[in-house]
Amino acid sequence: MAEFYAEGLLNRLLGLDGTWDAVAEKARELYTFRIVPNINPDGSSRGYLRTNAAGQNLNREWCPSPAPATNDNIDDDDDENATYEAPTLERSPEVYHLLRRMDRIGCDAFLDVHGDEELPFNFLAGSQGMSVWGKRLESLHGAFLASYERANGDVQGKVSYEPEEAGKGMLNVCSNQIAERFDCFSGTLEMPFKECWADTTAATATGRMGGVVDVKVGWGPERARQLGASVLDALCYVAPHLRDEGEFWKDLPEDDAYVHPSTKY
């Protein structure tokens, strides 16, 4: 689903369908996009959900982390202080090269697009557990999601993973590491594997219109493409505030306020 999402985003951003789009044109003016349609092609080819050809979960390879004493990849004889080094060229070259490229060019906004096996929603998991999380990133998270919901009824903000405790988040997770490393808006966007409980009264970027609220409907390639296309609306909306050092949240409408999410629905 992440590749279909990337396809929809690229089709709209580049006007590959031959139509002119004011939002896409604005997005191209505001941003320099760096898009990786699939960071784990080996895993996709082999039918793996998370791991690459070396057997590594690429969403736990974004920085060194404590290693269990039984791990073969420890670099310290003291079990209590053993470290799992990541990313490495041997185990996670995909992350190794991408992260070093990002270090060279910087990052102002970041989305890691995934699929979730349990929750029947599209949702954004934020970087609440990172030390950089504060009113600025909280407000960007809220405004981005609110704008995304307005653009696409398949997006909602109330249901997501339970936020990590402040300052105690997992730094080896991709979107967390990027938020901490670049002090930027960053999140993991999750799509459902089977059905999506959605508000189909809202229009999407492709003009789809429905008439029923909170219905269980199947999730598939076309809606994933629409979700990717409509993210441009949300990105354009928050662009002026990504590096705003002022208290911009005081001027945002009430509908843009951050909503503390929960897994309960």
Side-chain angles (χ1 to χ4, degrees), residues 92-220:
S92 48
E94 305 92 341
V95 176
Y96 181 93
H97 289 294
L98 179 57
L99 190 55
R100 273 145 189 78
R101 176 67 174 171
M102 294 180 72
D103 282 338
R104 289 197 296 271
I105 64 177
C107 182
D108 294 311
F110 180 84
L111 287 176
D112 185 19
V113 183
H114 283 232
D116 181 80
E117 299 91 337
E118 296 184 6
L119 295 175
F121 299 93
N122 291 300
F123 60 92
L124 182 68
S127 53
Q128 293 92 331
M130 298 296 97
S131 67
V132 296
W133 181 266
K135 190 62 179 178
R136 171 177 153 266
L137 291 185
E138 178 186 277
S139 301
L140 286 171
H141 186 105
F144 175 86
L145 263 180
S147 177
Y148 211 169
E149 287 184 62
R150 292 190 287 268
N152 191 321
D154 281 332
V155 179
Q156 56 78 48
K158 295 180 180 179
V159 178
S160 179
Y161 302 137
E162 298 291 342
E164 295 175 302
E165 187 177 346
K168 296 184 179 180
M170 297 175 62
L171 277 166
N172 59 346
V173 170
C174 177
S175 60
N176 280 349
Q177 177 62 209
I178 299 306
E180 189 77 6
R181 203 178 192 100
F182 299 102
D183 188 17
C184 70
F185 165 70
S186 177
T188 302
L189 191 147
E190 299 275 4
M191 288 177 280
F193 265 63
K194 294 182 180 179
E195 63 186 19
C196 179
W197 295 14
D199 176 1
T200 58
T201 60
T204 68
T206 57
R208 178 178 59 84
M209 207 59 140
V212 182
V213 178
D214 294 332
V215 295
K216 299 180 183 180
V217 286
W219 188 252

Side-chain angles (χ1 to χ4, degrees), residues 223-255:
R223 292 173 71 191
R225 292 188 188 99
Q226 292 175 2
L227 191 67
S230 54
V231 75
L232 293 180
D233 295 80
L235 287 171
C236 287
Y237 186 72
V238 299
H241 307 302
L242 290 175
R243 293 300 180 186
D244 191 340
E245 297 181 359
E247 297 180 342
F248 63 86
W249 50 86
K250 293 183 177 180
D251 297 323
L252 293 176
E254 184 177 345
D255 289 346

Side-chain angles (χ1 to χ4, degrees), residues 50-69:
R50 286 180 172 268
T51 59
N52 64 359
Q56 304 305 311
N57 178 355
L58 295 184
N59 203 27
R60 298 296 184 272
E61 290 281 314
W62 289 80
C63 73
S65 58

